[in-house]
Amino acid sequence: MTLLQIMPDDAPDTVLLRTRDEAAITHALRARSVSFTRWPLRTQVTPQTSPEELLDAYRSEVDELCASQGLRLVDVARLHPEEGEQWQERAAKARSTFLDEHRHAEDEVRFFAQGTGCFYLHLDARVYAVVCEAGDLLSVPAGTRHWFDMGPVPDFCAIRFFEKEDGWVGDFTQESIAGGFPRLDALLREG
């Protein structure tokens, strides 16, 4: 189930709010101009599910979202655990890519079709850790400072939406804030 944990940006051990209540999460994020909603799960995603099959399963939602927000490009990002050292290296590199605070020139819009990932939104003097799971659609406004953790053993499949082809490219802030906050695995262990 989705989780929201809010912490002061200068006191990561202080929890101001921790909830799995969908209405409370939606309300807290909406107050910060972040859109959170859920789509019904339309298919069981496996490592064999092709991007085309996944997009076809959510065609009506994808088309509606693209039309309403002017999004022109859609793709599928996924990582599933595999055997071997090569996968471990690829997974570690993928995880580290977005663990530092950054922002994007356009909204970051993601639908989790399978698995888990955590967006850490640095909004004013607080950090909103949003653990997204299958069915969650999160839209983070352009320019929002944030980072993303896919966990030590990444296992997720997400539909990504863009206005432009380079919309996923991050502008890194060079701030070290992300290193002080609990990672995805620690957030999930806390119950």
Side-chain angles (χ1 to χ4, degrees):
M1 181 175 234
T2 310
L3 169 69
L4 171 64
Q5 182 166 306
I6 303 174
M7 301 150 284
D9 66 359
D10 61 353
D13 294 332
T14 302
V15 176
L16 302 172
L17 174 70
R18 182 178 171 89
T19 183
R20 291 185 179 274
D21 180 79
E22 183 178 336
I25 293 169
T26 302
H27 177 75
L29 293 175
R30 185 181 311 124
R32 308 300 303 155
S33 300
V34 176
S35 174
F36 171 81
T37 190
R38 293 194 44 86
W39 286 355
L41 294 175
R42 302 231 181 270
T43 186
Q44 178 70 26
V45 178
T46 69
Q48 292 73 38
T49 305
S50 73
E52 295 77 20
E53 290 172 315
L54 182 63
L55 291 172
D56 285 346
Y58 292 97
R59 180 59 51 207
S60 63
E61 289 92 346
V62 167
D63 289 348
E64 182 180 324
L65 185 63
C66 287
S68 70
Q69 295 190 17
L71 302 165
R72 294 185 293 229
L73 301 168
V74 179
D75 72 6
V76 174
R78 66 186 327 154
L79 274 172
H80 293 287
E82 299 172 13
E83 295 295 322
E85 189 174 314
Q86 186 178 19
W87 182 85
Q88 291 173 349
E89 290 171 8
R90 193 173 84 235
K93 182 179 179 190
R95 183 184 193 197
S96 69
T97 299
F98 293 105
L99 274 178
D100 290 326
E101 186 181 72
H102 60 281
R103 61 186 149 241
H104 299 281
E106 63 181 61
D107 292 356
E108 184 161 359
V109 183
R110 303 290 182 266
F111 169 69
F112 281 79
Q114 179 269 324
T116 306
C118 186
F119 285 91
Y120 297 80
L121 312 176
H122 188 186
L123 303 166
D124 294 326
R126 295 188 174 164
V127 171
Y128 290 62
V130 185
V131 177
C132 294
E133 298 186 342
D136 292 347
L137 174 69
L138 187 70
S139 181
V140 179
T144 301
R145 294 174 298 158
H146 68 283
W147 59 97
F148 178 74
D149 185 11
M150 59 186 73
V153 182
D155 188 6
F156 71 93
C157 182
I159 299 175
R160 306 185 305 174
F161 299 84
F162 306 100
E163 296 170 32
K164 299 178 191 156
E165 201 160 313
D166 63 352
W168 64 272
V169 176
D171 171 26
F172 289 85
T173 66
Q174 308 305 315
E175 297 293 327
S176 61
I177 185 171
F181 283 83
R183 297 282 189 233
L184 171 61
D185 47 326
L187 287 170
L188 294 176
R189 271 196 313 269
E190 292 175 14

